[in-house]
């Protein structure tokens, strides 16, 4: 029986311990998913990596799919928060630049997720991450207005695909990766600074 149920341990302490163990399981699984692949990683493999019994892992997650969902949920929530922030900006150029910076920061923080997506169609197709039509339409509307052009729609799609391409830049440290991705995203979205002029670039250069 997992230690969080041991007698004599305060309820608050058990709760914190359970949350910490759950998060450790998620982080361990993410590393294994990225290194071995989702399909070949079992609950037993996750337990072995952590030095736990399979029953201890099963106490927190009944299936591997639940662990996958728990590992992807924060990423989806992070993008939802970014989209809400963008929706409150009046300037189109401000929204585009904020999206470029926010999306690149997201990519750098989630490099491991990119590796997972690249190698595993199961993860790419997971309902929690799979492109949601409603979310896609909202992002396009926030960035480009109610009638985005075909070029604007493709620019957004190519930005999304960058997550799966992160493996191509696995040799870059975070700072270099961030600079490279920001230049690329700004170029795709035609955000001021795409040619290296920075946030103070001309307004005309930001027209999509």
């Amino acid at each position: 029986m997992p230690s969080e149920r041991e007698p004599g341990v305060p309820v608050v302490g058990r709760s914190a311990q359970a949350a910490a163990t759950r998060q450790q399981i998620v982080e361990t699984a993410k590393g294994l998913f990225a290194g071995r692949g989702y399909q070949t990683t079992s609950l037993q493999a996750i337990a072995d990596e952590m030095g736990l019994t399979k029953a201890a892992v099963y106490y927190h997650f009944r299936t591997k799919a639940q662990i996958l969902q728990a590992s992807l949920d924060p990423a989806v929530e992070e993008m939802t928060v970014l989209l809400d922030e963008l929706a409150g900006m009046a300037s189109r150029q401000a929204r585009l630049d904020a999206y470029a910076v926010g999306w690149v920061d997201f990519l750098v923080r989630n490099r491991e997720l990119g590796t997972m997506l690249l190698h595993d169609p199961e993860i790419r197709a997971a309902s929690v991450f799979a492109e949601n039509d409603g979310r896609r339409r909202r992002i396009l509307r926030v960035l480009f207005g109610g009638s985005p052009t075909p070029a604007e729609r493709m620019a957004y799609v190519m930005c999304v695909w960058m997550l799966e391409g992160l493996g191509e830049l696995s040799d870059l440290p975070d700072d270099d990766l961030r600079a490279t991705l920001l230049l690329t995203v700004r170029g795709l979205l035609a955000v001021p600074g795409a040619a290296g002029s920075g946030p103070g670039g001309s307004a005309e250069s930001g027209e999509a």
Side-chain angles (χ1 to χ4, degrees), residues 133-203:
D133 284 342
R135 184 166 58 251
R136 175 179 177 274
R137 287 194 297 269
R138 187 186 178 204
I139 293 175
L140 286 171
R141 185 172 64 252
V142 167
L143 293 180
F144 302 114
S147 300
T149 66
E152 289 168 343
R153 284 153 44 200
M154 180 54 67
Y156 164 71
V157 169
M158 293 180 72
C159 286
V160 173
W161 284 347
M162 288 173 69
L163 179 57
E164 294 185 41
L166 287 176
E168 292 295 325
L169 301 175
S170 60
D171 58 312
L172 296 182
D174 284 355
D175 288 345
D176 291 346
L177 178 64
R178 180 176 288 102
T180 300
L181 295 179
L182 189 56
L183 183 66
T184 303
V185 173
R186 281 176 161 166
L188 288 170
L189 299 176
V191 174
S197 58
S202 65

Side-chain angles (χ1 to χ4, degrees), residues 30-96:
K30 284 170 61 178
L32 292 175
F33 292 161
R36 303 183 183 181
Y38 174 77
Q39 193 64 39
T40 58
T41 299
S42 64
L43 289 180
Q44 185 64 61
I46 296 170
D48 290 344
E49 184 74 12
M50 297 180 64
L52 298 176
T53 64
K54 183 178 179 180
V57 174
Y58 188 77
Y59 175 81
H60 296 278
F61 297 100
R62 296 303 179 94
T63 66
K64 185 172 61 173
Q66 288 181 349
I67 301 178
L68 174 61
Q69 179 170 333
S71 70
L72 297 179
D73 277 346
V76 174
E77 176 61 25
E78 186 176 343
M79 293 311 301
T80 300
V81 170
L82 174 62
L83 185 57
D84 289 342
E85 293 174 352
L86 298 178
M89 298 178 180
S91 166
R92 169 189 166 109
Q93 291 181 6
R95 291 194 300 272
L96 288 171

